[in-house]
Amino acid sequence: MKQSFISVSPESHFPIQNLPYGIFQPKGSATRAGVAIGEYVLDLSALDEAGLLDGTGITHGKTFHEPSLNAFMALGKPVWKAVRERLQHLLNAETPVLRDDEALRTRAFFPLHEVKMKLPAEIGDYTDFYASKEHATNVGTMFRSKENALMPNWTHLPVGYHGRASSVVPSGTAVRRPLGQRKPKDSDTPVFGPSIQLDFELEIGWLIGPGNAQGEPVPIGEAENHVFGLVLVNDWSARDIQAWEYVPLGPFLAKNFATSISPWVVPLEALEPFREKGPAQEPVPFPYLQQRHPGGFNIQLKVDLTCDDGETICVTETNFKHMYWSIAQQIAHHTITGCNMRPGDLHASGTISGPEPHERGSMLEITWRGAEPVTLQSGKTRSWVEDGDTVTMSGWCEGDGFKIGFGEVSGTVLPAYSEAHILGEKQEGIRT
Amino acid sequence: MKQSFISVSPESHFPIQNLPYGIFQPKGSATRAGVAIGEYVLDLSALDEAGLLDGTGITHGKTFHEPSLNAFMALGKPVWKAVRERLQHLLNAETPVLRDDEALRTRAFFPLHEVKMKLPAEIGDYTDFYASKEHATNVGTMFRSKENALMPNWTHLPVGYHGRASSVVPSGTAVRRPLGQRKPKDSDTPVFGPSIQLDFELEIGWLIGPGNAQGEPVPIGEAENHVFGLVLVNDWSARDIQAWEYVPLGPFLAKNFATSISPWVVPLEALEPFREKGPAQEPVPFPYLQQRHPGGFNIQLKVDLTCDDGETICVTETNFKHMYWSIAQQIAHHTITGCNMRPGDLHASGTISGPEPHERGSMLEITWRGAEPVTLQSGKTRSWVEDGDTVTMSGWCEGDGFKIGFGEVSGTVLPAYSEAHILGEKQEGIRT
């Protein structure tokens, strides 16, 4: 087994087998690219300056000095592979060049808890899929009916929609409860105010590189060449706003106030040992969606809800392997019209729910739209996420004595603004 | 009436009262910002270098030297106003500084037909609304039923959805017919192949600047301060793909292969004389959607279809004033959750259809889903847009002896790729 000269606990998410990429900012310095190893971040701009990344295909003084990974993502798989091999070599316990250079080590390693993590990419477009059959069935049952739960198109194509890129935020960013319209069950007309059904959605996302030219679909056999790496995604959702607005053009305001992602991007290559076949697909998809090798990944996932009083409860434990549509199928479908992908685009899987009740990936499903609230030790209950609550998602693959982890994505809910704040002192235009 | 020393025909879209902004590239030179005047583009980077824009608030050597207007959009209304006043002064027939400086005139003016127009902005997010009651009613009647045409939410909020930013292209870009899934009427299962119901959507778009911070809604009284200017939009749509895919998450592939926009951005200020009250709104909207001054604009619009044999037919003539929801209402709604807008974001109105049959803004409505094809003089008919056809949209406000025009947005349809092209020689991954 590979070992690094950096000591890494077996419980760590970031052994030498992982080496996820991120954008970080040391106190008082510029943002730059790094990889996580154990309790440290290794500064890639410092390695580049020391000449240790020469010959990998990156642009010296540039690729890893930028405030996003977009330029690196644009370089494509051969460069990603070369850099990853170089880093695994440099970090290996047997390799002296970095291990024995104390000055360089001091410049290049930062304790994780001392740096600020940023968004890993400048996200051009964000697309959210709906690839869990269990999730689509659960939601369809609640929003429509059991008979009408899964639409006729669902087993023929990976349903998806365009999300909002501007409001994607890194883990740790507080999320303000949105205002909006909702229609109470017993009313014919909507009311306006703070959402009272604020929810999370547990998802896996992937960042795109290098992408395709407009008009040129990505064949499914090449689709994974455009996957730079994976992150955890919390696609915050206001269910009451969603139920009122979503017909006929889909979710809009219910989703666009915030989407949180984990800051460390796990390379697809690190996940190869955990690849497995997804659920059987019946009917057999069209040729453009037929993937010849297993397209699923065994990634364990969980969601913790920490209430405003500090008590934490695990509300779901599930696995990415349950997803019906694979990453490659989703990319092939998204581009079949010629839609172009650019480096830094984000796709997300849609809520990951498994077949068992404890494997549901949203409060909507966990509490069955509030009918079966979660009860904490304190006696408090939660049907939805309340003000002051923190949602923390984590994910990892279980290797032989090590984990390939995603770290976590978390966010705390701030109370909504009052209507007066929106219409009042700030709205000078309306007074004239 | 204001006059420029540049001679402008009364039929021109670009008199001194307009001065739309664009990004252009002279042959063999860098892209830069300009304004259109008559048959010319005035190079703003050249004016800046000559010191003639000093004191307006732009960044010397930067704002107008960039390959997009985003930096200018970010500066906000006071700077836009100062630059516009300065340009109207410099172009005035009575002002000698530019008029009498032959060397500068030679450097600063380019014939429009000699430059290449680019996208005016780097578009972060693209949002498409659905603000014409007539269009929503027509489409709803065809896709669902007359009784079910207008959803209960439609008169309470401006329905919208997130579009694809990567595939927004400038006028003149050819558009490849998309491949995708559609379900024939007489079949229970879908088929795969080129879309056979390719359509245009006549829309007006607006580019955003400076935008709002995440979590901070834009009050409706301030919404128009975030509108840099307006463009024409052709939101190309594959109706057969749309009908099959759009339930429950809305249009996705049916719209993401291409969206064409006109290259000249008409400043909101140039449209002020053409502002008028929109249709009465019943029920009265929530306070966050109540606009105190008229929010509509009288903009005449038409669409020409030029068939593959060169014959042109005007397929619709309509007006932006018919729109039910105003630009300000759409911005206030979009941000009420705290969704953040960034400079360069594009919003579009949705298809602009008027109350009369000749005022319908899409082939879907014009031919009532193919039931009433358009007939050309040659005897050819068109239910949808065919390969080799060119769609050209234009728009203008009729002033007293002048027009405030948008120029045009046009695009020609290329035949779809064969399935073999998608699955064949390019798909090396699948062969192994």
Side-chain angles (χ1 to χ4, degrees):
Chain A
M1 185 186 135
K2 286 182 284 188
Q3 283 236 303
S4 174
F5 60 85
I6 299 287
S7 125
V8 177
S9 122
E11 287 306 303
S12 169
H13 278 202
F14 307 133
I16 191 170
Q17 292 88 345
N18 190 351
L19 301 186
Y21 294 97
I23 293 291
F24 74 102
Q25 183 174 30
K27 241 173 225 161
S29 295
T31 53
R32 61 197 71 174
V35 293
I37 173 97
E39 301 294 316
Y40 293 91
V41 48
L42 173 57
D43 182 345
L44 297 179
S45 72
L47 290 191
D48 175 31
E49 278 161 23
L52 295 180
L53 301 177
D54 290 359
T56 56
I58 65 155
T59 305
H60 179 59
K62 205 160 157 55
T63 309
F64 290 136
H65 289 67
E66 300 201 347
S68 82
L69 291 166
N70 291 47
F72 186 43
M73 291 167 176
L75 292 172
K77 202 168 164 179
V79 177
W80 308 338
K81 206 174 159 65
V83 170
R84 183 171 162 81
E85 276 172 12
R86 182 69 58 86
L87 293 174
Q88 289 193 322
H89 172 71
L90 290 171
L91 285 164
N92 193 297
E94 309 295 318
T95 310
V97 54
L98 179 57
R99 184 192 67 196
D100 297 347
D101 186 338
E102 197 183 327
L104 178 58
R105 279 206 333 264
T106 306
R107 284 204 308 283
F109 285 99
F110 295 84
L112 270 172
H113 63 88
E114 287 182 10
V115 305
K116 192 173 161 63
M117 295 307 299
K118 304 282 192 169
L119 272 187
E122 198 177 308
I123 296 164
D125 278 288
Y126 162 43
T127 301
D128 198 21
F129 286 93
Y130 194 55
S132 156
K133 195 169 185 175
E134 290 80 4
H135 170 69
T137 305
N138 289 339
V139 174
T141 303
M142 284 181 273
F143 272 51
R144 290 176 293 272
S145 64
K146 200 161 183 176
E147 298 69 41
N148 232 351
L150 214 58
M151 288 289 150
N153 58 17
W154 200 92
T155 53
H156 292 278
L157 53 81
V159 171
Y161 67 101
H162 300 119
R164 179 84 193 173
S166 71
S167 53
V168 178
V169 294
S171 178
T173 308
V175 171
R176 191 165 294 284
R177 177 181 298 275
L179 294 164
Q181 294 187 26
R182 59 191 154 85
K183 195 175 78 62
K185 249 189 192 163
D186 50 1
S187 168
D188 282 342
T189 55
V191 298
F192 177 81
S195 166
I196 57 173
Q197 296 184 343
L198 186 60
D199 201 357
F200 59 79
E201 291 195 328
L202 168 64
E203 308 193 11
I204 289 275
W206 49 98
L207 285 156
I208 297 289
N212 59 309
Q214 195 165 357
E216 301 291 336
V218 176
I220 190 160
E222 294 173 20
E224 287 184 355
N225 296 341
H226 298 275
V227 178
F228 174 73
L230 276 61
V231 293
L232 300 171
V233 177
N234 179 353
D235 192 39
W236 298 93
S237 299
R239 298 300 180 190
D240 41 0
I241 295 175
Q242 184 178 353
W244 172 233
E245 75 170 359
Y246 90 106
V247 178
L249 300 186
F252 177 46
L253 301 193
K255 305 272 194 170
N256 70 10
F257 55 98
T259 304
S260 303
I261 69 173
S262 58
W264 292 108
V265 188
V266 177
L268 192 62
E269 204 181 327
L271 299 169
E272 283 301 337
F274 308 97
R275 189 187 281 278
E276 59 179 59
K277 214 168 169 318
Q281 296 188 321
E282 175 52 41
V284 174
F286 285 110
Y288 82 95
L289 292 174
Q290 288 173 15
Q291 189 172 9
R292 297 296 168 91
H293 61 279
F297 294 92
N298 187 322
I299 304 172
Q300 299 185 42
L301 297 160
K302 77 182 182 96
V303 181
D304 286 328
L305 184 67
T306 303
C307 289
D308 49 348
D309 64 4
E311 186 185 341
T312 294
I313 183 171
C314 173
V315 289
T316 193
E317 289 183 284
T318 185
N319 197 301
F320 189 56
K321 71 181 180 186
H322 297 307
M323 303 308 273
Y324 187 89
W325 295 105
S326 74
I327 291 174
Q329 288 178 316
Q330 287 167 84
I331 293 172
H333 183 64
H334 200 330
T335 63
I336 189 63
T337 56
C339 182
N340 53 321
M341 303 287 130
R342 298 180 293 189
D345 284 350
L346 174 66
H347 295 182
S349 60
T351 306
I352 302 161
S353 293
E356 300 300 323
H358 72 272
E359 294 179 307
R360 295 172 178 165
S362 66
M363 290 300 277
L364 174 68
E365 298 163 85
I366 294 165
T367 72
W368 209 255
R369 215 175 189 174
E372 301 160 24
V374 169
T375 304
L376 289 104
Q377 287 197 328
S378 66
K380 282 191 178 182
T381 61
R382 285 289 183 272
S383 292
W384 308 100
V385 185
E386 301 298 337
D387 294 346
D389 288 358
T390 300
V391 176
T392 304
M393 300 173 170
S394 57
W396 65 94
C397 305
E398 200 66 59
D400 185 10
F402 65 95
K403 286 175 197 252
I404 300 289
F406 287 75
E408 59 181 42
V409 56
S410 80
T412 301
V413 174
L414 303 177
Y417 281 128
S418 68
E419 194 173 347
H421 176 86
I422 305 305
L423 298 174
E425 68 272 31
K426 286 184 65 199
Q427 195 170 16
E428 287 154 26
I430 210 167
R431 286 195 185 141
T432 58
Chain B
M1 187 188 134
K2 286 182 284 188
Q3 282 234 304
S4 175
F5 60 86
I6 299 287
S7 126
V8 178
S9 124
E11 287 307 302
S12 169
H13 278 202
F14 307 134
I16 192 170
Q17 291 88 346
N18 191 349
L19 301 185
Y21 293 97
I23 293 292
F24 74 102
Q25 184 174 29
K27 241 173 223 158
S29 295
T31 54
R32 61 197 70 174
V35 293
I37 172 97
E39 302 293 317
Y40 294 90
V41 49
L42 173 58
D43 183 344
L44 296 178
S45 72
L47 291 191
D48 175 32
E49 279 162 21
L52 295 180
L53 300 177
D54 289 359
T56 57
I58 65 156
T59 304
H60 179 60
K62 208 163 155 53
T63 309
F64 290 135
H65 290 67
E66 301 202 346
S68 83
L69 291 166
N70 291 49
F72 185 42
M73 291 167 175
L75 292 174
K77 203 170 166 180
V79 177
W80 307 338
K81 205 175 160 66
V83 170
R84 183 172 161 81
E85 276 171 13
R86 181 69 59 86
L87 293 174
Q88 289 193 323
H89 172 71
L90 290 171
L91 285 165
N92 193 296
E94 310 295 319
T95 309
V97 55
L98 180 56
R99 183 191 69 195
D100 298 347
D101 186 338
E102 198 182 326
L104 177 56
R105 279 205 333 263
T106 306
R107 285 203 308 282
F109 285 100
F110 294 85
L112 270 171
H113 64 87
E114 287 183 7
V115 304
K116 194 174 159 65
M117 296 305 301
K118 303 283 194 169
L119 272 188
E122 199 177 306
I123 296 164
D125 278 287
Y126 163 42
T127 301
D128 198 20
F129 287 93
Y130 195 53
S132 157
K133 196 169 184 175
E134 289 81 5
H135 171 69
T137 305
N138 289 338
V139 174
T141 302
M142 284 181 274
F143 273 52
R144 289 175 293 275
S145 65
K146 201 162 181 173
E147 299 67 45
N148 231 352
L150 214 58
M151 288 289 149
N153 57 18
W154 200 93
T155 53
H156 292 278
L157 53 82
V159 171
Y161 67 101
H162 299 118
R164 181 83 191 172
S166 72
S167 53
V168 178
V169 294
S171 178
T173 308
V175 171
R176 191 166 293 284
R177 178 180 298 275
L179 294 164
Q181 294 188 25
R182 61 192 152 84
K183 195 176 77 63
K185 249 188 190 165
D186 50 1
S187 168
D188 282 343
T189 54
V191 299
F192 176 80
S195 166
I196 57 173
Q197 296 184 341
L198 185 59
D199 201 355
F200 60 79
E201 291 195 329
L202 167 63
E203 308 194 11
I204 289 276
W206 49 98
L207 286 157
I208 297 288
N212 59 308
Q214 194 164 357
E216 301 290 335
V218 176
I220 189 160
E222 293 173 20
E224 287 185 353
N225 296 341
H226 296 276
V227 178
F228 174 72
L230 276 60
V231 293
L232 299 170
V233 177
N234 180 353
D235 192 40
W236 298 92
S237 298
R239 299 301 179 188
D240 42 359
I241 294 175
Q242 184 178 352
W244 172 235
E245 76 171 357
Y246 90 105
V247 178
L249 299 188
F252 178 45
L253 300 194
K255 306 273 193 169
N256 70 10
F257 55 99
T259 304
S260 304
I261 70 172
S262 57
W264 292 108
V265 188
V266 177
L268 191 63
E269 203 180 327
L271 298 169
E272 283 300 338
F274 309 97
R275 189 187 281 279
E276 58 180 60
K277 213 166 169 320
Q281 295 188 322
E282 175 54 41
V284 173
F286 284 110
Y288 82 95
L289 292 174
Q290 289 173 12
Q291 189 172 9
R292 297 295 168 91
H293 62 277
F297 293 92
N298 186 322
I299 304 172
Q300 300 184 44
L301 297 159
K302 76 183 184 93
V303 182
D304 287 329
L305 185 65
T306 302
C307 289
D308 50 347
D309 64 4
E311 186 187 341
T312 294
I313 184 171
C314 174
V315 290
T316 193
E317 288 182 282
T318 185
N319 197 302
F320 189 55
K321 71 182 180 187
H322 298 308
M323 303 307 273
Y324 187 89
W325 295 105
S326 74
I327 292 173
Q329 286 178 317
Q330 288 166 83
I331 293 171
H333 184 64
H334 200 330
T335 63
I336 189 63
T337 54
C339 181
N340 53 321
M341 303 288 131
R342 296 180 294 188
D345 285 350
L346 174 66
H347 295 182
S349 60
T351 306
I352 301 162
S353 292
E356 302 299 324
H358 72 273
E359 295 178 306
R360 293 170 178 165
S362 65
M363 291 298 278
L364 174 67
E365 297 162 273
I366 293 165
T367 72
W368 209 254
R369 213 175 190 175
E372 301 160 25
V374 170
T375 305
L376 288 104
Q377 287 196 326
S378 66
K380 280 190 179 182
T381 60
R382 285 290 183 272
S383 292
W384 308 99
V385 185
E386 301 297 338
D387 293 347
D389 289 356
T390 299
V391 176
T392 305
M393 301 173 171
S394 57
W396 64 93
C397 306
E398 201 68 57
D400 185 9
F402 65 94
K403 287 174 197 255
I404 300 290
F406 287 76
E408 58 181 45
V409 56
S410 80
T412 300
V413 174
L414 302 177
Y417 282 128
S418 67
E419 192 172 347
H421 176 88
I422 305 304
L423 297 174
E425 69 271 30
K426 287 184 62 199
Q427 194 171 17
E428 288 155 25
I430 209 167
R431 286 195 185 141
T432 57

